[in-house]
């Protein structure tokens, strides 16, 4: 994900659904590097939120054009992450 974030800064849509090894760190990298994201699917990425909601908070802070954020099946998200 670090390579995607570093090289695809104009990326608007990213679907990581079912990627069981995606972590908060990876999502944070994407949020910081791909600030033009409009759609991000993290459906069933079960490692998201294991260490708090910082990854989703970063998406909210960095991706101002976000229209669709799918985190269905992520069980470690609290209200602050939303």
């Amino acid at each position: 994900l670090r390579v995607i974030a570093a090289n695809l800064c104009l990326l608007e849509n990213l679907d990581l659904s079912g990627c069981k090894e995606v972590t908060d760190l990876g999502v944070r990298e994407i949020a910081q590097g791909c600030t033009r994201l409009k759609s991000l699917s993290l459906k069933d990425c079960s490692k998201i939120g294991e260490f708090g909601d910082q990854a989703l908070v970063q998406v909210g802070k960095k991706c101002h054009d976000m229209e669709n954020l799918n985190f269905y099946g992520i069980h470690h998200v609290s209200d602050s992450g939303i």
Side-chain angles (χ1 to χ4, degrees), residues 15-80:
D15 187 346
L16 298 171
S17 298
C19 295
K20 303 292 184 195
E21 297 303 315
V22 173
T23 65
D24 296 313
L25 180 60
V27 174
R28 192 170 73 197
E29 293 276 346
I30 290 293
Q32 291 174 345
C34 301
T35 59
R36 294 190 182 189
L37 274 178
K38 292 182 179 181
S39 177
L40 176 62
S41 181
L42 302 169
K43 179 182 175 194
D44 294 323
C45 295
S46 56
K47 290 189 176 183
I48 302 297
E50 281 188 324
F51 302 105
D53 297 323
Q54 287 305 308
L56 296 178
V57 169
Q58 285 299 310
V59 170
K61 286 182 177 179
K62 301 289 185 177
C63 302
H64 301 285
D65 296 332
M66 186 63 65
E67 297 172 1
N68 181 26
L69 177 61
N70 182 354
F71 52 92
Y72 178 84
I74 298 175
H75 303 287
H76 304 288
V77 177
S78 70
D79 289 344
S80 66

